[in-house]
Amino acid sequence: MAKVKEPPTLSYTREQLLHWYRQMLAVRRMEEKAAQLYTQQKIRGFLHLYIGQEATGMGIEAAIRREDYVITGYREHGNAYFRGIPMRAIMAELMGKETGISRGKGGSMHMFSREHRFLGGHGIVGAQIGIGTGVAFAIKYREEDLICVTMFGDGAARQGMLHESFNMAMLWRLPVVYVCENNQYAMGTSVSRSSNVTDIYRLACAYDMPAEQVDGMNIFTVYEAVRRAADHARSGKGPYFLEILTYRYRGHSMSDPAKYRTREEVEAYKERDPIAHLQSYLYTHHLATEEDFNTIEEEVAAEVADAVAFAEASPFPAPEQLYEDVYVQPDYPFLREW
Ligand SMILES: Cc1ncc(C[n+]2csc(CCOP(=O)(O)OP(=O)(O)O)c2C)c(N)n1
Ligand SMILES: [Mg+2]
């Protein structure tokens, strides 16, 4: 078991880092726009923003293969985008439109795309830990060269599902990387109010599972830790657990009185913002100029504007579509393939 390691220890190309920067910025601007659309009631229901946590999703995506699987909870707009789902389909889903990635019937919490190997988007806290473990079982059973990254929050880590899953995954050496995004709070409850052991990575001890605690405000640490974990899981050695220390700047969802933390605490994390950190790395290492950053900002703004225009122009699903896609039809090609 290891505590936070100092990065970067690997070598990186300019293109790779600029891509990471661009992707994280796109997710941030997309969600800032989503928050605005929510206040205009163009997005309704729940909306849980990932703002502040972007380095976790991007670091994971950069360290795994496109064909691998990713599954997570309801704070998943960023993961959906990093997996390659177009912003148009994400924005349309947020607005409940037919052109959304879940045909407008999943909304913010239930984005899913088999094509992008993104298995959700789950609203039941911790349920995806068992599902991700099952996906890893299927990978092993079919002898595929894949892994399943199974993400969950610090609150979800306290569900019984984690223990049953950890036990089985170790027993059968399943190719799963468990990632706990410890953003310090489960709704308004801090980790120290709900947990005797606040270093969540230590939960893996009971199962002899390798585990690390990682600085999630630094994309290099996340990337390098996920590389180690993914190599381990892919080589047949079994599961690996990463606790990523991160922070959400916004409330739990759009209705959050935020009485459980101080403004100073939020500001202190913003000082260590993961996007600003990468930007400063690029700048100080002469890998990008002010002009480069301005161009990226403009490109991202255009992508967000295009996604919003597309979503606004799209229709809502017709009432008769309510009962479609609820159950898988027995003759559905997807089942035959499996
Ligand atoms: C089984 C279950 N219990 C309770 C809830 C209500 N609930 C929704 S989010 C949440 C907090 C989860 O916190 P965490 O796992 O840390 O994830 P985060 O929101 O910080 O990403 C709770 C208790 C739920 N959706 N499902
Ligand atoms: Mg949390």
Side-chain angles (χ1 to χ4, degrees), residues 55-222:
T56 307
M58 186 63 235
I60 290 171
E61 192 58 44
I64 65 171
R65 301 179 188 159
R66 270 273 182 260
E67 318 83 68
D68 291 328
Y69 291 95
V70 174
I71 186 166
T72 187
Y74 45 80
R75 200 178 295 287
E76 94 286 25
H77 316 147
N79 302 101
Y81 186 79
F82 296 136
R83 284 266 78 190
I85 297 176
M87 197 184 287
R88 281 182 166 200
I90 295 173
M91 200 54 94
E93 191 57 44
L94 288 173
M95 289 199 209
K97 300 297 184 81
E98 198 183 52
T99 52
I101 194 66
S102 302
R103 298 182 198 173
K105 294 185 287 186
S108 162
M109 297 207 284
H110 303 112
M111 297 190 185
F112 186 99
S113 170
R114 187 170 161 256
E115 181 196 337
H116 298 90
R117 304 259 165 133
F118 181 60
L119 304 182
H122 295 268
I124 307 298
V125 169
Q128 78 275 16
I129 306 175
I131 301 171
T133 307
V135 171
F137 177 83
I139 292 170
K140 175 138 188 170
Y141 188 76
R142 297 192 305 213
E143 299 179 359
E144 291 171 333
D145 183 23
L146 299 171
I147 61 167
C148 179
V149 177
T150 302
M151 303 171 68
F152 49 91
D154 46 282
R158 290 311 184 177
Q159 291 285 52
M161 180 57 83
L162 176 130
H163 295 278
E164 296 183 45
S165 299
F166 274 22
N167 181 54
M168 280 182 170
M170 277 306 288
L171 184 66
W172 295 328
R173 296 289 189 270
L174 301 181
V176 52
V177 174
Y178 295 109
V179 176
C180 175
E181 286 188 87
N182 181 356
N183 63 6
Q184 326 295 335
Y185 294 94
M187 301 182 83
T189 307
S190 68
V191 173
S192 57
R193 269 186 68 209
S194 64
S195 302
N196 176 40
V197 173
T198 52
D199 283 330
I200 293 171
Y201 77 104
R202 290 174 57 208
L203 295 182
C205 268
Y207 303 95
D208 258 350
M209 189 188 297
E212 291 180 48
Q213 193 176 52
V214 181
D215 178 4
M217 305 310 271
N218 180 333
I219 188 151
F220 296 108
T221 22
V222 178

Side-chain angles (χ1 to χ4, degrees), residues 231-257:
D231 286 350
H232 179 94
R234 208 183 297 280
S235 67
K237 293 186 195 140
Y240 205 103
F241 182 33
L242 299 174
E243 176 194 0
I244 308 219
L245 298 173
T246 182
Y247 202 76
R248 61 164 163 74
Y249 303 164
R250 304 289 182 114
H252 167 72
S253 66
M254 291 303 285
S255 52
D256 179 343

